[in-house]
Amino acid sequence: MRGATHAKWAACAAAAALAATACGGGGSDSGGGDGGAVLSSSWGDPQNPLEPANTNEVQGGKVLDMIFRSLKKYNPETGAAEDMLAEKIETTDSQNFTITVKDGWTFSNGEKVTSKSFVTAWNYAASLKNNQKNAYFFEYIDGYTAAHPASGSQTTDVLSGLKVVNDRTFTVKLKQKFSTFPDTLGYPAYAPLPQAFFTDHANWLKKPIGNGPYTIDSYTKGSQMALKKWDGYPGEDKAENGGVTLKVYTDNNTAYTDLLAGNLDLVDDVPAAQLKNVKNDLGDRYLNTPAGIIQTLAFPFYDKKWNTTGSDKVRTGLSRAIDRKQITETIFQNTRTPATDWTSPVLGEEGGFKEGLCGDACEYDPAAAKKLIQEGGGLPGGQVKITYNADTGSHKQWVDAVCNSINNALDNDKACVGNPVGTFADFRTQIGDRKMTGPFRAGWQMDYPLIQNFLQPLYYTNASSNDGKWSNKDFDKLVDQANAETDTAKAVEIFQQAEEVVRDNMAAIPLWYQNGSAGYSERLSNVKLNPFSVPVYNEIKVS
């Protein structure tokens, strides 16, 4: 998702930067009225306030998935896009769409969800003046360049391609054919918004109002967010518990310790250091399931050192210096799989996963690595520093292992070092401010199960999560062509051609595919992770 992220975090005694947790949360949380008991789960502070179009990272995304429902919803088992608030989405040309909104839906404040709730939200998201991180998701709608120009001032606040027909119907006109456009509409950026968002924005940010199965009861940054079941929720996927208390952890090792001690109900990212012990500790209360997540190393192409003739050879050389097999086996206990492309096996072959697409560029070969780096002019400044957020135990371990592999391959114990940043929020802020000077951690959790989502948001020119600011006209052209293709198989083939451009330029180094991992207390049942590796909170039952 959402910029990528897999870091989740707390502690009763320890504190660092954000830390502070409410202790005794595991077995003592109760309440929620008729909805049952409340469960507690590890979490990390989101980078930004929870505006749907301004959240592109996992921690904030978890909350949005609990408090909002959009036109589509992704099946928690298969990931398939299914109608939620959409009664029907019709098109005859894959460019003009008529969307009918289901009747009977309201926001938690009682306001009716109408077609206008979507159109005003999308216009707000796309408008340049609102500075929404996910504005790019509306780029295909007619009028986007006027509302969000690449340079200069905007000439309008609304998208000409959006029209309200009546309370339950609106139309969308795209600038080109985009056959899978309906499947993207489960992403939180497309969520409807109540009038309070616009009329009392400051207070809405303090306590967001949505239309999902939970409402936000309270939030103390650095400590916890309390969500409670919304009894008036009109959807079929009602909460099976009384609520969820998300506790901020700056170290998921501490979260795991709290789980074992009975002070926490759910850890949704088992730390690497505990993977050897987790089956003995938790038995069948440990989940290890495939997820649409890939870990990569991105590069700052806005830094001339990484965007010069020959730098592609340096990046490819670094890729060949990484022993993915050894790292995934020893550190991650086979909860990761060495990556051989830039997508995820959860897509399947028909969906666009192509094992081995990376070819030799992802195969460990110290001699080839050394030669490529020399041919590319050597490491910029003689050393690479891999930047990562240090508020989980796992990232330091694998970054150190990657650096050790590079150092061994290059016969230089100073060729690579880790460069930790204290918190995830700070890490993301530095990335947004273009302060990276070398490779940096850039895991990606899919927003929706399409090959397009593994490529376009990350590598298309000026895309929403193109943190390294890579740009390639051939890639952009192929993506546009693939999006316009109505034959799914042909579209996938063209996307893979675009992926080959990523490979040939080594726009980012693919490291490994990631499973979702979680552990939970004896109080919980019916716990599962969806294909995005996020707990299906509304289905969890608490005894």
Coordinates of all heavy atoms in Angstrom, one line a residue, residues 210-257:
G210 N -16.7 8.0 9.4 CA -16.7 7.2 8.2 C -18.0 6.5 8.1 O -19.1 6.8 8.7
N211 N -18.0 5.4 7.3 CA -19.2 4.6 7.1 C -18.9 3.1 7.2 O -19.7 2.3 6.6 CB -19.8 4.9 5.7 CG -18.9 4.5 4.6 OD1 -17.7 4.6 4.7 ND2 -19.5 4.0 3.5
G212 N -17.9 2.8 7.9 CA -17.5 1.4 8.1 C -18.0 0.7 9.3 O -18.7 1.4 10.1
P213 N -17.6 -0.5 9.6 CA -18.2 -1.2 10.8 C -17.7 -0.7 12.1 O -18.2 -1.1 13.2 CB -17.7 -2.7 10.5 CG -16.6 -2.6 9.6 CD -16.8 -1.4 8.8
Y214 N -16.6 0.1 12.1 CA -16.1 0.7 13.4 C -16.1 2.2 13.3 O -16.1 2.8 12.3 CB -14.7 0.2 13.6 CG -14.5 -1.2 13.9 CD1 -14.2 -2.1 12.8 CD2 -14.6 -1.8 15.2 CE1 -14.0 -3.5 13.0 CE2 -14.5 -3.1 15.4 CZ -14.2 -4.0 14.3 OH -14.0 -5.3 14.5
T215 N -16.2 2.8 14.5 CA -16.0 4.3 14.7 C -14.8 4.5 15.6 O -14.5 3.7 16.5 CB -17.3 5.0 15.2 OG1 -17.5 4.4 16.5 CG2 -18.5 4.8 14.3
I216 N -14.2 5.7 15.4 CA -13.1 6.0 16.3 C -13.6 6.6 17.6 O -14.3 7.6 17.5 CB -12.1 7.0 15.6 CG1 -11.5 6.3 14.4 CG2 -11.0 7.5 16.5 CD1 -10.6 7.1 13.5
D217 N -13.3 6.0 18.7 CA -13.7 6.6 20.0 C -12.7 7.6 20.6 O -13.1 8.6 21.1 CB -13.9 5.4 21.0 CG -14.7 5.8 22.2 OD1 -15.6 6.6 22.1 OD2 -14.3 5.3 23.3
S218 N -11.4 7.3 20.4 CA -10.4 8.2 20.9 C -9.0 7.8 20.3 O -8.8 6.7 19.8 CB -10.3 8.1 22.4 OG -9.8 6.8 22.9
Y219 N -8.1 8.8 20.3 CA -6.8 8.6 19.8 C -5.8 9.5 20.5 O -6.0 10.7 20.6 CB -6.7 8.9 18.3 CG -5.3 8.8 17.6 CD1 -4.4 7.8 18.0 CD2 -4.9 9.7 16.7 CE1 -3.2 7.7 17.4 CE2 -3.7 9.6 16.1 CZ -2.8 8.6 16.5 OH -1.5 8.6 15.9
T220 N -4.8 8.8 21.1 CA -3.7 9.5 21.7 C -2.4 9.2 21.0 O -2.0 8.0 21.0 CB -3.6 9.2 23.2 OG1 -4.8 9.5 23.9 CG2 -2.4 10.0 23.8
K221 N -1.9 10.1 20.2 CA -0.7 9.8 19.4 C 0.4 9.3 20.3 O 0.7 9.8 21.4 CB -0.3 11.1 18.7 CG 0.9 10.9 17.7 CD 1.2 12.2 16.9 CE 2.5 12.0 16.1 NZ 2.3 11.1 15.0
G222 N 1.0 8.3 19.8 CA 2.1 7.7 20.5 C 1.7 6.7 21.6 O 2.5 6.0 22.2
S223 N 0.4 6.5 21.8 CA -0.1 5.6 22.8 C -1.1 4.6 22.2 O -0.7 3.4 22.0 CB -0.8 6.4 23.9 OG -1.3 5.5 24.9
Q224 N -2.3 5.0 21.8 CA -3.3 4.1 21.3 C -4.4 4.8 20.6 O -4.7 6.0 20.8 CB -3.8 3.2 22.4 CG -4.6 3.8 23.4 CD -5.2 2.9 24.5 OE1 -4.5 1.9 24.8 NE2 -6.4 3.1 24.9
M225 N -5.1 4.0 19.8 CA -6.4 4.4 19.2 C -7.5 3.4 19.6 O -7.2 2.2 19.4 CB -6.3 4.5 17.7 CG -7.7 4.9 17.0 SD -7.6 5.0 15.2 CE -6.7 6.6 15.0
A226 N -8.6 3.9 20.1 CA -9.7 3.0 20.5 C -10.8 3.1 19.4 O -11.3 4.2 19.2 CB -10.2 3.4 21.9
L227 N -11.1 2.0 18.8 CA -12.2 1.9 17.9 C -13.3 1.0 18.5 O -13.0 0.0 19.1 CB -11.8 1.3 16.5 CG -10.7 2.1 15.8 CD1 -9.4 1.4 15.9 CD2 -11.1 2.3 14.3
K228 N -14.5 1.4 18.3 CA -15.6 0.6 18.8 C -16.6 0.2 17.7 O -16.6 0.9 16.6 CB -16.4 1.4 19.9 CG -17.1 2.7 19.4 CD -17.8 3.3 20.6 CE -18.5 4.6 20.1 NZ -19.2 5.3 21.2
K229 N -17.3 -0.9 17.9 CA -18.2 -1.4 16.9 C -19.3 -0.3 16.7 O -19.8 0.3 17.7 CB -18.8 -2.7 17.4 CG -19.9 -3.2 16.5 CD -20.5 -4.5 17.1 CE -21.6 -5.0 16.2 NZ -22.2 -6.3 16.8
W230 N -19.7 -0.1 15.4 CA -20.8 0.8 15.1 C -22.1 -0.1 15.0 O -22.2 -0.8 14.0 CB -20.5 1.6 13.9 CG -21.7 2.4 13.4 CD1 -22.7 3.0 14.2 CD2 -22.0 2.8 12.1 NE1 -23.6 3.7 13.5 CE2 -23.2 3.6 12.2 CE3 -21.4 2.6 10.8 CZ2 -23.8 4.2 11.0 CZ3 -22.0 3.2 9.7 CH2 -23.2 3.9 9.8
D231 N -22.9 0.0 15.9 CA -24.1 -0.9 16.0 C -25.1 -0.6 14.8 O -25.8 -1.4 14.4 CB -24.9 -0.7 17.3 CG -24.1 -1.3 18.5 OD1 -23.4 -2.3 18.2 OD2 -24.3 -0.8 19.6
G232 N -25.0 0.7 14.2 CA -25.9 1.0 13.1 C -25.3 0.7 11.8 O -25.9 1.2 10.8
Y233 N -24.2 0.1 11.7 CA -23.6 -0.2 10.4 C -24.5 -1.0 9.5 O -25.0 -2.1 9.9 CB -22.3 -1.0 10.7 CG -21.5 -1.4 9.4 CD1 -21.0 -0.5 8.5 CD2 -21.4 -2.7 9.1 CE1 -20.4 -0.8 7.3 CE2 -20.7 -3.1 7.9 CZ -20.2 -2.2 7.1 OH -19.6 -2.6 5.9
P234 N -24.8 -0.6 8.3 CA -25.7 -1.2 7.4 C -25.2 -2.4 6.6 O -25.9 -3.1 5.9 CB -26.2 -0.1 6.5 CG -25.0 0.8 6.4 CD -24.3 0.7 7.7
G235 N -23.9 -2.6 6.6 CA -23.3 -3.6 5.8 C -23.4 -5.0 6.3 O -23.8 -5.2 7.5
E236 N -23.2 -6.0 5.5 CA -23.2 -7.4 5.9 C -22.0 -7.8 6.7 O -22.1 -8.8 7.5 CB -23.4 -8.3 4.7 CG -24.7 -8.1 4.0 CD -24.9 -9.1 2.8 OE1 -23.9 -9.9 2.5 OE2 -25.9 -9.1 2.1
D237 N -20.9 -7.1 6.6 CA -19.7 -7.5 7.3 C -19.6 -6.7 8.6 O -18.6 -6.0 8.9 CB -18.4 -7.2 6.4 CG -18.4 -5.8 5.9 OD1 -19.4 -5.1 5.8 OD2 -17.3 -5.3 5.6
K238 N -20.6 -6.9 9.4 CA -20.6 -6.2 10.7 C -19.5 -6.8 11.6 O -19.0 -7.9 11.4 CB -21.9 -6.5 11.4 CG -23.1 -5.9 10.7 CD -24.4 -6.2 11.4 CE -25.6 -5.7 10.6 NZ -25.7 -4.2 10.5
A239 N -19.1 -6.0 12.6 CA -18.0 -6.4 13.6 C -18.6 -7.5 14.5 O -19.7 -7.4 15.0 CB -17.6 -5.2 14.4
E240 N -17.7 -8.5 14.6 CA -18.1 -9.7 15.5 C -17.6 -9.5 16.9 O -17.7 -10.4 17.8 CB -17.5 -11.0 14.9 CG -18.1 -11.3 13.5 CD -19.5 -11.7 13.6 OE1 -20.0 -12.3 14.6 OE2 -20.2 -11.6 12.6
N241 N -17.0 -8.3 17.2 CA -16.5 -8.0 18.5 C -16.9 -6.6 18.9 O -17.6 -5.9 18.1 CB -14.9 -8.0 18.5 CG -14.3 -7.3 17.3 OD1 -14.4 -6.1 17.2 ND2 -13.7 -8.0 16.4
G242 N -16.6 -6.2 20.1 CA -17.1 -4.8 20.6 C -16.2 -3.7 20.1 O -16.6 -2.5 20.2
G243 N -15.0 -4.0 19.6 CA -14.1 -3.0 19.2 C -12.7 -3.4 19.2 O -12.4 -4.6 19.6
V244 N -11.8 -2.6 18.8 CA -10.4 -2.9 18.7 C -9.6 -1.7 19.3 O -9.8 -0.5 18.9 CB -9.9 -3.1 17.2 CG1 -8.4 -3.4 17.2 CG2 -10.8 -4.2 16.6
T245 N -8.7 -2.0 20.2 CA -7.8 -1.0 20.7 C -6.4 -1.2 20.0 O -5.8 -2.3 20.2 CB -7.6 -1.1 22.2 OG1 -8.9 -0.9 22.8 CG2 -6.7 0.0 22.7
L246 N -6.0 -0.3 19.2 CA -4.7 -0.4 18.5 C -3.7 0.3 19.4 O -3.7 1.5 19.6 CB -4.8 0.3 17.2 CG -5.9 -0.3 16.2 CD1 -6.0 0.6 14.9 CD2 -5.4 -1.7 15.7
K247 N -2.7 -0.4 19.8 CA -1.7 0.1 20.7 C -0.4 0.3 20.0 O 0.1 -0.5 19.2 CB -1.4 -0.9 21.9 CG -2.7 -1.1 22.7 CD -2.3 -2.0 23.9 CE -3.5 -2.1 24.9 NZ -3.2 -2.8 26.1
V248 N 0.2 1.5 20.2 CA 1.4 1.9 19.5 C 2.6 1.2 20.1 O 2.8 1.2 21.3 CB 1.6 3.4 19.5 CG1 2.9 3.8 18.9 CG2 0.4 4.1 18.8
Y249 N 3.4 0.5 19.2 CA 4.6 -0.1 19.6 C 5.7 0.4 18.8 O 5.6 0.4 17.5 CB 4.5 -1.7 19.5 CG 3.7 -2.4 20.6 CD1 2.3 -2.3 20.6 CD2 4.4 -3.0 21.6 CE1 1.7 -3.0 21.6 CE2 3.7 -3.6 22.6 CZ 2.4 -3.6 22.7 OH 1.7 -4.2 23.7
T250 N 6.8 0.7 19.4 CA 8.0 1.1 18.6 C 9.0 0.0 18.4 O 10.0 0.1 17.8 CB 8.7 2.3 19.3 OG1 9.1 1.9 20.6 CG2 7.8 3.5 19.4
D251 N 8.6 -1.2 19.0 CA 9.4 -2.4 18.8 C 8.5 -3.6 18.8 O 7.9 -3.9 19.9 CB 10.5 -2.5 19.9 CG 11.5 -3.6 19.8 OD1 11.2 -4.5 18.9 OD2 12.5 -3.7 20.5
N252 N 8.4 -4.3 17.7 CA 7.5 -5.4 17.7 C 8.0 -6.6 18.5 O 7.2 -7.5 18.8 CB 7.1 -5.8 16.3 CG 8.3 -6.2 15.4 OD1 9.5 -6.1 15.9 ND2 8.1 -6.6 14.2
N253 N 9.2 -6.6 18.9 CA 9.7 -7.6 19.9 C 9.0 -7.4 21.2 O 8.6 -8.3 21.9 CB 11.2 -7.5 20.1 CG 12.0 -8.1 18.9 OD1 12.0 -9.3 18.7 ND2 12.6 -7.2 18.1
T254 N 8.8 -6.1 21.6 CA 8.1 -5.8 22.9 C 6.6 -6.2 22.7 O 6.0 -6.7 23.7 CB 8.2 -4.4 23.2 OG1 9.6 -4.0 23.2 CG2 7.7 -4.1 24.6
A255 N 6.1 -6.0 21.6 CA 4.7 -6.4 21.3 C 4.5 -7.9 21.5 O 3.6 -8.4 22.1 CB 4.2 -5.9 19.9
Y256 N 5.5 -8.6 21.0 CA 5.4 -10.1 21.0 C 5.5 -10.5 22.5 O 4.8 -11.4 22.9 CB 6.5 -10.7 20.2 CG 6.5 -12.2 20.1 CD1 5.6 -12.8 19.2 CD2 7.3 -13.0 20.9 CE1 5.6 -14.2 19.1 CE2 7.3 -14.4 20.8 CZ 6.4 -15.0 19.9 OH 6.4 -16.3 19.8
T257 N 6.4 -9.9 23.2 CA 6.5 -10.2 24.7 C 5.2 -9.9 25.4 O 4.8 -10.7 26.3 CB 7.7 -9.4 25.3 OG1 8.9 -9.7 24.6 CG2 7.8 -9.7 26.8

